[in-house]
Amino acid sequence: MRFISWNVNGLRAVLKKNFYEVFDMLGADIFALQETKCQPDQVELDLPGYHAYYSSAEKKGYSGTVVFSREEPLRVLHGLGDEYLDQEGRIVACEFPTFWFVDVYTPNSQMELARIDHRMQWDDAFREFCLGLEAGTLPDGSSADPKPVIMCGDFNVAHNDIDLKNPDPNRGASGFSDEERGKFEELLEAGFTDTFRYLHPDLANMYTWWSYQHRARRTNAGWRIDYFLVSNSIRDRIESATIYNEIEGSDHCPIGLEIADL
């Protein structure tokens, strides 16, 4: 199966640019977006053959996620099961016969780590949510069949020095703080694999986000903060993990994953 993830920094904005061209070119079985910044009734999409599942923030024009899938899921969850954390439309989780697919837009800790406490709470809750899906325990306490998890999205953290152009001046800043990196490490240690690093452990200068300031994209002064993670039980089935850094339209580029025998 082929999966694509893209933080579009506004679905309505990218629809005026190259969204349909990119969507058709990448030909995913499941295509996940983050930072849609819209309610479902604010966009008109023509994607024949796909089902659409939106999670929107209570605040208009903010955050938001959506999953487009060729196959209709068995069920769809639109949050972690926490009323406080679920106000910003940051989760779409789809259950399929042999796996869970989770689209996530992780909260930004903001300048001077102003929202770091919220971020730490989110990271812990998200990790437990994904472990619950894997084990067959849903947020409402009901049960499902245990299944591996494929998760993707903008995690708003560069894991290691290799994952951003200028690690030293950014050490301790939002997206590269010890706290955020530590929580991402905890997620991996809980039983999940960073698919890109699994296949490309030493490949440098591969980023997924560039600031709109200082010509960052032109000089490739970027960060790798968008990921596909999978349960360790299926990492041997990974066929490819791709960063489409040539595709513009947003301050992020799409990323891809192909897995066999799902």
Side-chain angles (χ1 to χ4, degrees):
M1 290 187 72
R2 182 174 177 78
F3 306 88
I4 296 292
S5 174
W6 192 14
N7 179 321
V8 291
N9 194 7
L11 178 53
R12 287 171 292 180
V14 79
L15 279 170
K16 298 175 183 177
K17 300 175 186 176
N18 60 341
F19 177 76
Y20 284 113
E21 176 187 346
V22 172
F23 191 93
D24 291 342
M25 177 180 67
L26 294 179
D29 295 294
I30 298 178
F31 202 120
L33 305 182
Q34 305 87 43
E35 204 171 358
T36 55
K37 297 182 179 179
C38 66
Q39 307 292 321
D41 60 2
Q42 292 179 302
V43 291
E44 292 186 11
L45 283 169
D46 183 21
L47 300 173
Y50 286 86
H51 305 275
Y53 305 95
Y54 288 82
S55 289
S56 301
E58 294 180 8
K59 178 181 177 181
K60 295 289 182 68
Y62 180 73
S63 187
T65 47
V66 62
V67 169
F68 304 110
S69 174
R70 294 187 193 273
E71 181 180 353
E72 185 175 2
L74 302 176
R75 78 180 93 192
V76 180
L77 306 179
H78 294 279
L80 301 174
D82 183 305
E83 184 176 355
Y84 169 64
L85 295 176
D86 289 338
Q87 297 176 10
E88 297 179 346
R90 295 182 177 276
I91 290 283
V92 179
C94 301
E95 183 186 12
F96 295 96
T98 58
F99 65 95
W100 277 93
F101 180 83
V102 179
D103 177 20
V104 60
Y105 178 36
T106 302
N108 191 305
S109 61
Q110 300 184 349
M111 295 290 291
E112 299 183 358
L113 304 183
R115 211 184 186 198
I116 191 66
D117 290 342
H118 178 83
R119 170 62 180 267
M120 297 295 96
Q121 184 179 351
W122 170 275
D123 282 344
D124 286 340
F126 179 73
R127 184 179 64 255
E128 294 307 310
F129 173 79
C130 292
L131 287 172
L133 298 183
E134 192 177 52
T137 304
L138 303 186
D140 63 2
S142 62
S143 297
D145 292 335
K147 294 174 184 178
V149 174
I150 299 168
M151 67 183 88
C152 72
D154 177 357
F155 285 75
N156 260 316
V157 62
H159 184 206
N160 290 314
D161 286 13
I162 194 175
D163 295 314
L164 71 167
K165 185 71 170 183
N166 298 303
D168 290 339
N170 286 293
R171 209 171 300 279
S174 174
F176 200 56
S177 67
D178 290 344
E179 296 94 329
E180 292 161 304
R181 297 170 67 198
K183 290 297 184 184
F184 190 79
E185 186 66 33
E186 285 184 47
L187 180 59
L188 297 179
E189 290 177 351
F192 299 100
T193 295
D194 175 351
T195 60
F196 185 80
R197 282 287 166 239
Y198 182 69
L199 295 186
H200 312 287
D202 302 313
L203 185 57
N205 300 313
M206 295 297 292
Y207 309 121
T208 65
W209 173 79
W210 303 261
S211 170
Y212 280 133
Q213 300 177 338
H214 311 300
R215 300 185 300 170
R217 190 148 191 175
R218 184 180 300 180
T219 60
N220 199 29
W223 299 50
R224 190 175 74 96
I225 60 175
D226 302 84
Y227 300 84
F228 270 101
L229 307 184
V230 301
S231 295
N232 288 347
S233 61
I234 59 171
R235 66 185 178 188
D236 290 343
R237 304 182 201 173
I238 299 169
E239 295 184 315
S240 69
T242 307
I243 293 175
Y244 297 96
N245 51 16
E246 75 281 5
I247 295 178
E248 300 185 359
S250 169
D251 52 350
H252 295 248
C253 71
I255 58 173
L257 174 68
E258 293 189 20
I259 298 186
D261 301 324
L262 277 177

